[in-house]
Amino acid sequence: MLKIRYKTYQKPLATSRMKIKTTYISSINYINNLEFDYLETYSLQRGGKYDGRIIQDPEYNEFQILKKKKQLSELEILRFKQLNKLYGYTQYLIDSDGIFHPSAEKTGTYKIDNVIIEKLKSILNTPIKEVPSWMCAPVYRDAIVFYNSDNKIVSTLNVCLSCEYMETKMSNHINADAETYNLMREFFIELGHKVEEK
């Protein structure tokens, strides 16, 4: 039997005195303690300028060059900050302001009694034997939003199938077994997501 470690620690930011609380929870505890009435699935950061790991936005790329040369006007600095918020950091389905990512496409809505939810619960309850630990930054292209009966979001699960990584939001990590990600890949494909080859 595998023992699950739960850690909470304060990680200082390099750019401020503010501390970010980082948490780790198992996929098993996450899904079994989550109270929700329905969920929605989303596909994001696919196609067009999101192909590959490098953003193909000419405006953003040009601003990066101008910033290095310190040649941005005040108006361009504001625009660059907007674009940097969109492209310069790990992107989640829902940002810190509660706004859905502009590339997000809803792929389905499923009520609590739907077989899809039972399948998801089964996947997230996969026993944890080996937690993947790739050395790459996650690119969340698949996500699930859980809602209560008042249509309020109770949690969002951001999934990177390439890095085999999940977070509910920044610094709230979900640990899962390597097999969980294989099953999640099949799950999202079944729901119509255009999942990239492994």
Side-chain angles (χ1 to χ4, degrees), residues 8-9 11-16 18-24 85 88-97 138 140 155-159 165-174:
T8 300
Y9 62 91
K11 179 180 172 185
L13 285 174
T15 57
S16 83
M18 187 178 113
K19 293 184 179 184
I20 294 177
K21 183 179 177 182
T22 302
T23 60
Y24 295 85
K85 187 176 178 185
Y89 304 97
T90 299
Q91 300 297 298
Y92 299 89
L93 173 64
I94 302 172
D95 70 14
S96 58
D97 297 324
Y140 296 116
S155 186
T156 303
L157 184 61
N158 298 277
V159 182
Y165 206 77
M166 291 187 282
E167 282 183 282
T168 57
K169 58 185 177 183
M170 186 169 77
S171 300
N172 288 358
H173 309 278
I174 305 294

Side-chain angles (χ1 to χ4, degrees), residues 120-133:
L120 177 64
K121 285 180 176 181
S122 175
I123 291 169
L124 292 174
N125 272 298
T126 300
I128 301 174
K129 298 174 187 166
E130 177 188 352
V131 176
S133 57

Side-chain angles (χ1 to χ4, degrees), residues 5-62:
R5 286 188 331 216
Y6 301 96
K7 287 197 266 184
T8 300
Y9 62 91
Q10 299 290 332
K11 179 180 172 185
L13 285 174
T15 57
S16 83
R17 294 176 186 228
M18 187 178 113
K19 293 184 179 184
I20 294 177
K21 183 179 177 182
T22 302
T23 60
Y24 295 85
I25 186 172
S26 74
S27 59
I28 297 165
N29 282 345
Y30 172 73
I31 197 63
N32 291 330
N33 291 306
L34 188 61
E35 293 182 21
F36 64 98
D37 290 286
Y38 70 98
L39 63 78
E40 293 177 341
T41 55
Y42 287 84
S43 177
L44 64 152
Q45 299 193 88
R46 286 194 167 95
K49 59 181 139 189
Y50 298 100
D51 281 341
R53 294 188 70 83
I54 298 171
I55 302 303
Q56 305 297 321
D57 187 322
E59 181 184 24
Y60 180 65
N61 295 336
E62 182 181 345

